Every structure is written in structure tokens, then in C-alpha cells.
Amino acid sequence: MLQAGRRNKVFWVVCRKILDERRTVFHVERMNILIVGSGGREHALAWKINQSPLVDTVWSAPGSPGLNEVGPCFDVKADDISSMVKLVEQLEPDLIVIGPEQPLAEGLADRIREIGFDVFGPSAAAAQIEASKGFSKDLMARCHVPTAAYKRVTTVADAKAFLDTLKPPFVLKADGLAAGKGVVIAKTRMEADVAAASMLGGQFGSASTELVIEEFMHGEEASVFVLTDGENFAVLPAAQDHKRAFDGDEGPNTGGMGAYAPAPIVTPDLMETVVQTVIQPTLQGMKADGCPFQGVLYVGLMLTEDGPKVVEYNCRFGDPECQVLMTGLEGDIVPLLLASATGGYSESDFARLYPEGGFKPSATVVMATKGYPGDYVKGSVISGVETANAKSGVKVFHAGTRIGDAGELQASGGRVINVTGTGDTLGQALANAYAGVDAIDWPEGFYRSDIGWRIQK
Ligand code: AMP
Ligand code: GLY
């Protein structure tokens, strides 16, 4: 018997051959796909994947009440690598899609590939592009990718010496993964010195024993997502997130309070510049270094007066950007995921840029528990999700929910639901998303009322 991974490749090659030759519907054994994760990003991925005619069942681990509506969930934590590998051996999925960065950085994709399964997600070596800021800055320097000037430091003396060369504000980054909290923008030199001492002194544990200090870049931010097998790639429409907690871009940084795509600021010409100056050199550089990147490369950009520059790379879809990409994409996502996982891209299959007209404007509003991103209380009851979902052009994704003893939907996290709208225009998509928000009854929640302010000017 063929191993599962091998069997999938044969299956996929046969499907493609038949499709290429006849372009007709044919009878095939459909695929079962396992999603690793439990957030709004994973719910959106599962929801989209489940619409594919190629797919039978979408499993998730650990899953959520939203994912449970798509398919069976298994109670295995995303970063419990050995239990997740055992689950894969039991279920024998045709494809595993890994959502969050932590299991990728810990080698889950490598372990799954070793036992012969197809997986959408980079190796631990390639995931360093997110897991080590120093690694990603050195890669950009080697490949001449435009980005902020920087220095890697491990002592306060070296930090101060480099800060002496910069003008305020100062940007200090923990080298390792710090749950999105490891970046400090210091307005004054005194703040920067205090932050350097505190971070190097163990503020983020082993993640901040090394820092990257960099020049501050001015401009608007946008995110570009690249599906790739390590060499060939397809670029999805650009998205814009809203990182601050409150309206007017005020308050603390969060994981993201809302997003939309396509971002009008990323014109086709600008996207072509990003492809040539960032995406191609990055993918070629990683391949040449012996760690090709397979999966989705998230390129965080600053659109400066001197052109687009990279703020950061991530080794996964953005959350909540993924939610707007999945609701916006009109075609089947599964062939793209499979091609990224198995190296199955061919020039005739996919345009390098996602074809215009294949994407519906889409926007999402994150509803969070009051207190987030600081302390908050779990267990408040949310109602109205079904009413919101019944509205035209609205889809609610679960990001941090659980089912209470009486069967009621409760908040169990900071970011809790993502109310997502699609429409013929971004304005319509935003109006639909907010119509969905109006249907939600959750006194303990809050949301930003100005998602999309940049495009409504
Ligand atoms: P990162 O985790 O590297 O994306 O940083 C988090 C946020 O800090 C980014 O989304 C930017 O808003 C900001 N940031 C990071 N690096 C810079 C920089 N060099 N210049 C200006 N803002 C930055
Ligand atoms: N929304 C930002 C991120 O996923 O990192």
C-alpha cells in the first residue's frame, strides 16, 4: 500500500491530468483534511476548505465550537507535537494544514512529513523567518530585500552603541516568539535604554536574550500573503489590519482588531514591485540556503516614501487577515494548498498573482472581551451569532468561544468572534460586517467602529 503522502500525490497528479485533458467533472475519492489550531483564522480556513468539491471531511485539533460546525474536532493541543503526530497517524488525513506559528517553529510540519503525510506549512528551519527576528533580518540583508537598518545585540552596551547611531523613535524587538508582544517602539532615548535593559534582562524569557534594534520606518502598513512550494508561488490580494485596540488607532497593540482586502493602497504596480524586490529574492534566498519555504509566507510591509520595505515576515496566515482572504476568494483554495504542500505548482495551473475578478471585497470586525489585550473575565454569554449569519453577505468566525453547561455560547478568550462581510465594494463589505455586529448581543464585548477608515476618506 502506498504511504498516505505518496498516495495523495498520485491522486492529485491523476486529478490534474484528467482535468487538464478533459476539463470535465469526474468521480474521485474525496480528501479528508486536518486543520491544526482553534482560532478565527483556522475556522475561516476550515470553512473555505469545506466548500471544495475535492474535500470530504475537515477535521480540526483542538478545534472550537465554530470548527465543530464544519467537522469533528479532536482534543489535542496545537503545540503538543507528539500527540498531534499520533493523531495524524490515527486519522491518516490526505492533507494537514497548520494554522499557528508555535507548532511550526517547534517542527510539527517536519515530523508529519517524516512519517509520509502531505502538510501545508514550513519546516522548523524555514519557520525561523518568524521565530527569529535576527534570522529574518540577516536573510533580508543577504538577499538585498529593502527593510530598516538593524543590529543584533546581546548586551546592553552593544544596544546603547547602536541606539547612538539612530534617531527617535527607536524600535527594539525580542529575537524569539513573544506572542506578538515582543516589539517596543520607544519614543525617547531613555525609554529605549530602559526597554533594552529589561528585555535583555529576561522580560520575554529566552525569546529576548538577543534583540534586534532597528531604524523606525514611516508609512502605511499592508500585508501580502504568498502561497508557495518553496519555488513557485501565488500571491493573494493585499490586506490591511488594525493593530490598536481602540478607534482612531488609539490604545494598546493587539493581535489585530479588524481587516479588509483587497487593500486599494497596494496597486498592481506596487504589488509587482513587492514581487520583484521582496518575494522572489526571499524565496530564492531561502531555497539557496537549504531551507525552502513551503506554506504561506506573510510579508508585513511598510509603504514608505522610498518604496515598500519589509517590517516582518510571518510563517503563517495573519489573524484576522486570513478571515477576509478566505471569504473573498471565489475559487477553490484546496488546489493551491495542495500545490504548496506537494510542489505541484505548474505555470499553467496558477497565475502568479491571484487573477483579478476572482476575489470579492471582504472585511472583518473583531469582537473582543472588555479588558483585552490586558486582563479580562471569561464566561460571558454571547447571543445573536445565528441571526448575524442569516444576513446576506455575513459570516461569523469563532476565535475564542466555548459552549457552556446549558449549551450557551460563551467567550473564552480575548479576541472572541470575527464578524466578516463581503460585498461588491469594500464599503458594502464593511456595511455588511457591521450589520452582522449589530445582530450580536454581548454586553461584555467591544469592537472598533472604524475598521476601514483609510478607505472611506
Ligand atoms: P513586528 O512584530 O516586527 O511586525 O512589529 C510589530 C509592529 O511594530 C509592526 O506592525 C509595526 O506597526 C511596528 N514596527 C515594527 N518595526 C517597525 C519599524 N522598523 N518601523 C516602524 N514601525 C515598526
Ligand atoms: N494580524 C497580525 C498577525 O496575524 O500577526
Side-chain angles (χ1 to χ4, degrees):
M1 200 180 98
L2 286 170
Q3 276 194 308
R6 181 79 201 110
R7 194 177 63 217
N8 294 338
K9 276 181 198 153
V10 171
F11 159 80
W12 179 232
V13 168
V14 169
C15 289
R16 285 234 317 257
K17 201 161 182 310
I18 298 171
L19 272 174
D20 283 349
E21 282 168 7
R22 309 229 190 94
R23 296 266 161 212
T24 53
V25 178
F26 57 100
H27 191 75
V28 287
E29 190 190 332
R30 291 192 299 165
M31 303 168 60
N32 298 320
I33 297 187
L34 171 66
I35 311 282
V36 175
S38 60
R41 167 181 52 204
E42 288 77 21
H43 187 193
L45 276 165
W47 171 84
K48 180 69 181 163
I49 289 170
N50 199 39
Q51 291 167 24
S52 169
L54 296 169
V55 169
D56 184 13
T57 305
V58 182
W59 295 303
S60 305
S64 69
L67 282 158
N68 199 38
E69 284 167 12
V70 180
C73 296
F74 297 86
D75 190 15
V76 175
K77 289 202 172 68
D79 52 6
D80 180 349
I81 307 294
S82 52
S83 301
M84 196 61 81
V85 170
K86 280 196 198 117
L87 181 68
V88 167
E89 284 172 329
Q90 274 166 24
L91 294 175
E92 298 197 342
D94 298 292
L95 179 70
I96 298 98
V97 177
I98 303 175
E101 64 277 15
Q102 196 70 41
L104 291 165
E106 289 176 19
L108 180 59
D110 306 77
R111 294 279 307 277
I112 294 175
R113 280 195 190 99
E114 275 159 27
I115 57 168
F117 291 87
D118 291 332
V119 54
F120 177 83
S123 64
Q128 285 185 88
I129 202 163
E130 173 168 4
S132 165
K133 300 274 187 202
F135 173 95
S136 73
K137 294 296 286 193
D138 288 352
L139 174 77
M140 287 184 247
R142 269 201 311 283
C143 303
H144 309 289
V145 170
T147 186
Y150 76 105
K151 187 151 180 76
R152 301 175 72 162
V153 300
T154 52
T155 66
V156 173
D158 285 350
K160 287 185 171 177
F162 189 63
L163 287 166
D164 283 342
T165 70
L166 300 175
K167 289 200 230 69
F170 304 96
V171 183
L172 297 95
K173 300 183 175 182
D175 178 70
L177 292 177
K181 300 193 175 96
V183 175
V184 173
I185 312 277
K187 289 200 186 84
T188 64
R189 178 58 198 266
M190 195 189 288
E191 272 180 54
D193 285 355
V194 170
S198 149
M199 289 165 97
L200 288 168
Q203 186 185 356
F204 299 107
S206 61
S208 64
T209 50
E210 179 174 337
L211 305 183
V212 167
I213 299 184
E214 61 182 49
E215 169 202 16
F216 185 86
M217 297 184 286
H218 294 270
E220 203 168 304
E221 287 182 70
S223 314
V224 168
F225 296 88
V226 185
L227 299 170
T228 177
D229 61 8
E231 187 172 351
N232 305 296
F233 59 90
V235 185
L236 302 181
Q240 281 186 299
D241 190 10
H242 299 64
K243 295 224 162 135
R244 300 297 194 101
F246 308 130
D247 282 10
D249 285 340
E250 299 287 343
N253 257 327
T254 69
M257 293 299 292
Y260 53 81
I265 192 166
V266 183
T267 59
D269 280 356
L270 184 56
M271 190 64 114
E272 190 53 39
T273 305
V274 173
V275 167
Q276 283 176 20
T277 63
V278 177
I279 296 170
Q280 282 174 337
T282 302
L283 296 180
Q284 282 163 7
M286 292 197 77
K287 190 166 177 236
D289 288 348
C291 60
F293 188 99
Q294 282 172 275
V296 56
L297 179 66
Y298 167 150
V299 184
L301 294 167
M302 189 70 80
L303 307 176
T304 75
E305 279 181 355
D306 303 327
K309 294 187 181 182
V310 175
V311 178
E312 64 165 346
Y313 296 113
N314 292 315
C315 64
R316 44 146 183 110
F317 275 112
D319 187 343
E321 294 95 320
C322 184
Q323 288 79 317
V324 294
L325 294 174
M326 293 307 118
T327 45
L329 283 177
E330 289 182 324
D332 189 350
I333 186 79
V334 172
L336 286 164
L337 299 177
L338 266 173
S340 303
T342 63
Y345 278 89
S346 80
E347 281 193 19
S348 60
D349 282 337
F350 302 107
R352 201 182 56 184
L353 296 177
Y354 201 80
E356 287 205 24
F359 194 86
K360 248 190 286 167
S362 186
T364 192
V365 177
V366 172
M367 297 186 77
T369 310
K370 282 179 185 163
Y372 172 81
D375 294 339
Y376 54 82
V377 178
K378 295 183 182 178
S380 53
V381 176
I382 305 161
S383 53
V385 169
E386 280 168 20
T387 315
N389 274 330
K391 289 181 179 287
S392 136
V394 177
K395 175 67 198 166
V396 179
F397 296 112
H398 292 241
T401 64
R402 67 185 182 204
I403 303 293
D405 291 342
E408 78 283 19
L409 188 67
Q410 295 184 354
S412 67
R415 294 191 294 169
V416 173
I417 51 176
N418 313 134
V419 187
T420 309
T422 49
D424 292 337
T425 61
L426 276 174
Q428 188 61 51
L430 283 158
N432 285 345
Y434 278 109
V437 168
D438 286 344
I440 303 288
D441 183 11
W442 180 31
E444 292 80 4
F446 78 99
Y447 59 91
R448 278 183 61 161
S449 64
D450 65 346
I451 298 304
W453 63 267
R454 284 189 181 84
I455 50 161
Q456 291 179 322
K457 273 187 286 194

